[in-house]
Amino acid sequence: MSLVHQDVPRDAFAEVSHFRSELYACLTARGDALFELCDALLCMDGPVRTLVDLALAPEHRRGHGALYGGLNQGWIDVARRRRALAGVPLPRAVDGRLVLAVDVSPWLRPGANTCADRDLCHTFGWGEGKHQMVPGWPYSVVAALESGRTSWTAVLDAVRLEPGADIAAVTTVQIREVVERLIAAGQWRRGDPEVLVVLDAGYDAPRIAHLLDDLPVEILGRLCSDRVMRRPTPSREEFLLANPKGGRPPKHGGEFVFGNPTTWGAEQAVTVTDTRLYGKATAQAWDRLHPRLTRRAAWLDGPLPIIEGTVIRLAVEKLPSGGANKPVWLWWSRTGATNVHVDRCWQSFLRRFDIEHTFRLFKQTLGWTRPRLRSFEAADRWTLLVIAAYARLRLARPLAADLRSPWEKPTEVNKLTSARVRRGFRNLRTKTGSPAGAPKPSRPEPGRPPGSKNRKRATRHEVGRVLATGEAYTRPAHHKVGTKPRRQTSHPPRQ
């Protein structure tokens, strides 16, 4: 699954030029400063260390005051920018299917007490199984995945999660809006394969699949290894055969305990594949399994639905990192899985980790989390500019030259990494021109008189999740992970 490149390079050049013009049209206030900031982000030599360094790039013709003024007082037409991202060529699977991945990446701000709307973000610490909760701004990102050995993705949307937000509800709305924009842009038409949405552990995949049942999407989510599923409700004949005296028919069938192989029964499908990194990969699938929902959290109103799907157990022979080799449990929102479906599901899930390469590029090369911005509105604008810059890099892949260092190996043009495409973007920018106007001379504000004190103390904000009533959020006792299988659960905790 590779990007759909145009046969003529001039067509790819037209795509880059059109996207630049559309991006400039989305910048409705202080557009010149924001557009040149995005150009400097792509043309700067080396990784972005500080935000003010971008003002020294030749592509940024304005001072550092205009840079911060654009982020603090600028305005971006978010709806139009999202439509522009949905209209560019997107990567597809071999069967023409769109594969979307959803994940959360934090912008950590542990010491920024004057920043509002900070939440406790889950981060991994040093050592196996260690994790920390650090204050910051978490962002939910949706990206289209490629197949094969690549680090490229097509980021389509990013939403900041507010404190106390229901992650499943926010993710459902985000996926719905992304899919509707893809349909409106002609990326999906009636008769095409359904869009596959891949989720990691921490998302309530059955609930999201139930809320998106009216859209042409399939949900594939990872489950914790201590989950317990239920089999289909037995028929009337089977119930009477097991209970000759009659009684109330059960609503759920027998248990399927992930940690107890004696409850698994016969598989629906089994595949064995030889892989280069993981050795022999064995995938087993069991059909028509559903979680037993209870009257809490998201299921307080209305009847409790039966959300059936396929459970897939993936076991590999080895791990490249040499860590603990544990099986991976997946839940697919469709039933009647065949060997082809099982292979497509677990291979698509492994491709989900490509979004981690995108996060690393955002943070280490493009400097997404480098600015020390106080306002979360400015952080949202900076995030949108970083995503737009990355989209321009992806469109410039067929046009980029391999400007490699002497110690680097030659690489084909269409197989360049995003960091190596960025090296030659300055040469491409000189051919496209800039729609931004020339800077006008101005005189800086006098600022605070020398020797005077700042008597207006900035407001301090508390950190953590809050409820709709304004009370502090505390994790319920039944949400804590125990050693025994959880037989009644509606959404698994994040591992």
Side-chain angles (χ1 to χ4, degrees), residues 377-399:
E377 293 90 351
D380 293 344
R381 297 186 191 101
W382 173 246
T383 302
L384 297 179
L385 289 181
V386 172
I387 293 176
Y390 179 70
R392 291 163 62 182
L393 281 181
R394 194 174 60 84
L395 293 176
R397 285 175 66 182
L399 306 173

Side-chain angles (χ1 to χ4, degrees), residues 16-30:
V16 176
S17 301
H18 175 72
F19 187 81
R20 282 170 55 86
S21 302
E22 189 67 19
L23 174 63
Y24 182 75
C26 298
L27 309 176
T28 55
R30 297 181 181 259

Side-chain angles (χ1 to χ4, degrees), residues 30 55 62-70:
R30 297 181 181 259
R62 291 160 173 80
H64 63 279
L67 184 149
Y68 285 101

